[in-house]
Amino acid sequence: MPGGVNSPVRSFAAVEEEPLFIDSGKGAVLVDVQGRRYTDFVLGYGPHILGHAPQAVVSAIRRQLAAGISYGSNTEAELLLAEKIVQMVPSIEMVRLVNSGTEATMSALRLARASTGRDLVVKFEGGYHGHSDSLLVAAGSGAATHGVPSSPGVPAATAADTVVLPYNGIAEVADLFMRLGDRIAAVIVEPVAGNMGVVAPDPEFLPQLRRLTSLHGSVLIFDEVMTGFRLAQGGAQELYGCRPDLTCLGKVIGGGLPVGAYGGRKELMSLMSPSGPVYQAGTMSGNPLVMAAGLATLEQLSSQPPYDYLEKTGSAMEDGARAVLRQRGIGSAVNRVGSMISLFFGVDSVRNYSEAAMASRSMFARFHQQLRQLGVLWPPSQMESAFLCVAHGAGEVDQVLSALASYEPAV
């Protein structure tokens, strides 16, 4: 396997460690193949809001497994999960289930371009929306830049239709719309950034994106693959009171199995084949095992909402981390929204990618190494969010705070 992994985020090269190989997980604990136990704050990069192997999800998968794995036809579970998504996310009137977040964002952009007859797409510096060609582009510094490929194999002509702006840079967005508003098909944004570390939107950022896209007839797409059903039952759009035209989902809605979805206003979604002319398909879309896991997860989240508990736990970690780092005189920024949290070392604040990139990677690597030695697993990249789940409590928070209390920035 290239680099010894099947996804680059699983490599520990950035923190100069060997990658982990996991044998099992339960609740907030992972056990590796050598029998070492870790309190886990990676949580599969987001889907395990109920912790690893929750009984309701495992039981649902077992029931479906006994009935069959894949049929190449429709199942009742697809309908039930779609109904649940529509019920919980007010901006979604119709939804299409796919196999990954990349499929969801790629398809949402195709739909936006088809519905507007335009080509340009706006994304934000540090925002990751999957690895489709038109979104895998390098960011500009400050002012708007037409995208250039950030990976060999991405055609320059494809990347040229993507414009990159600073996250939270609403003045730059307004200027771009004033100049090119009639050419912009869509704006795609993580309503809470999670792929440059956690960065919250400024108070006016999302409302102004909504105003500008509506004014110019562009489609506003929220990439809630990470935040959907994690920050609130209705995702970040519920938390911030801002409704997009299309929403991309993933992670939580599969209960830990591979999944993606995109949905929104009925008039837009009705353009998708076979109702309309915009084509997208997938042999494994709506897989029965995934639907069973996802439905069990969303039913648990709606019947026993964990969000107040997760906010309380996250607040304790945030406040505790700030206090310890301040007391020890270690320059840092602790960014958190709900059950998503990031620690940046060597900077005072982070509200966009440029500021995130100024954080000390070497200090973070040392932090990660020391946490792992103490039996705590944190994402091995400064640019990834850590996550909390319902299985985390005061004891797990204290493990992280104790590690910070003994943290040595240099060897």
Side-chain angles (χ1 to χ4, degrees), residues 51 74 100 124 151 203 379 397:
N74 305 312
S100 69
F124 295 93
S151 171
V397 170

Side-chain angles (χ1 to χ4, degrees), residues 3-307:
V5 295
N6 280 313
S7 180
V9 295
R10 300 176 196 166
S11 170
F12 281 46
V15 290
E16 299 179 355
E17 299 177 60
E18 292 297 319
L20 280 177
F21 286 81
I22 300 302
D23 180 68
S24 65
K26 182 67 178 177
V29 176
L30 288 179
V31 182
D32 70 15
V33 293
Q34 295 177 312
R36 292 174 297 199
R37 296 169 61 87
Y38 298 91
T39 300
D40 182 29
F41 290 95
V42 180
L43 295 174
Y45 290 95
H48 298 302
I49 191 170
L50 302 178
H52 292 281
Q55 189 56 53
V57 175
V58 172
S59 296
I61 293 172
R62 283 176 174 160
R63 286 193 297 271
Q64 180 55 52
L65 189 60
I69 296 173
S70 182
Y71 310 126
S73 190
N74 305 312
T75 66
E76 183 182 26
E78 293 175 74
L79 175 61
L80 294 175
L81 184 59
E83 287 179 338
K84 197 70 176 173
I85 291 170
V86 169
Q87 173 192 344
M88 294 175 74
V89 187
S91 72
I92 297 180
E93 298 173 344
M94 189 174 285
V95 65
R96 170 64 62 84
L97 295 156
V98 293
N99 296 294
S100 69
T102 293
E103 281 189 45
T105 56
M106 177 180 67
S107 303
L109 287 186
R110 183 180 301 156
L111 176 55
R113 284 173 163 142
S115 68
T116 61
R118 305 171 182 175
D119 292 333
L120 287 185
V121 168
V122 179
K123 64 158 288 194
F124 295 93
E125 200 175 6
Y128 178 72
H129 307 287
H131 59 89
S132 60
D133 284 356
S134 63
L135 290 170
L136 199 61
V137 298
S141 55
T145 58
H146 282 276
V148 296
S150 61
S151 171
V154 176
T158 299
D161 284 331
T162 303
V163 181
V164 183
L165 296 172
Y167 190 81
N168 277 324
I170 199 61
E172 289 87 345
V173 179
D175 176 70
L176 180 71
F177 268 100
M178 185 170 64
R179 293 184 291 109
L180 300 175
D182 60 349
R183 294 179 55 197
I184 297 172
V187 173
I188 185 167
V189 63
E190 292 176 275
V192 173
N195 289 288
M196 55 178 123
V198 177
V199 178
D202 288 346
E204 289 303 309
F205 184 55
L206 299 179
Q208 286 299 317
L209 291 184
R210 177 67 285 175
R211 183 185 70 83
L212 288 166
T213 51
S214 296
L215 180 65
H216 291 272
S218 304
V219 177
L220 179 60
I221 304 171
F222 276 8
D223 180 347
E224 295 225 45
V225 169
M226 189 176 291
T227 59
F229 303 103
R230 171 162 280 284
L231 299 183
Q233 285 195 34
Q237 57 195 267
E238 176 187 321
L239 193 66
Y240 291 99
C242 184
R243 292 191 181 187
D245 300 302
L246 292 174
T247 299
C248 299
L249 298 168
K251 296 187 185 290
V252 170
I253 66 165
L257 298 185
V259 74
Y262 61 102
R265 300 199 321 267
K266 185 176 181 179
E267 62 266 30
L268 278 175
M269 293 301 297
S270 294
L271 294 174
M272 297 306 303
S273 178
S275 297
V278 184
Y279 195 75
Q280 174 268 313
T283 299
M284 288 294 178
S285 296
N287 175 270
L289 291 177
V290 180
M291 299 299 97
L295 187 58
T297 300
L298 294 195
E299 286 177 342
Q300 184 89 0
L301 293 176
S302 60
S303 64
Q304 301 178 48
Y307 304 104

Side-chain angles (χ1 to χ4, degrees), residues 312-338:
K312 180 180 177 181
T313 306
S315 179
M317 179 178 282
E318 176 188 5
D319 293 344
R322 283 201 174 121
V324 170
L325 291 165
R326 188 185 309 116
Q327 183 180 29
R328 300 198 59 213
I330 298 173
S332 61
V334 182
N335 282 15
R336 182 186 67 88
V337 177

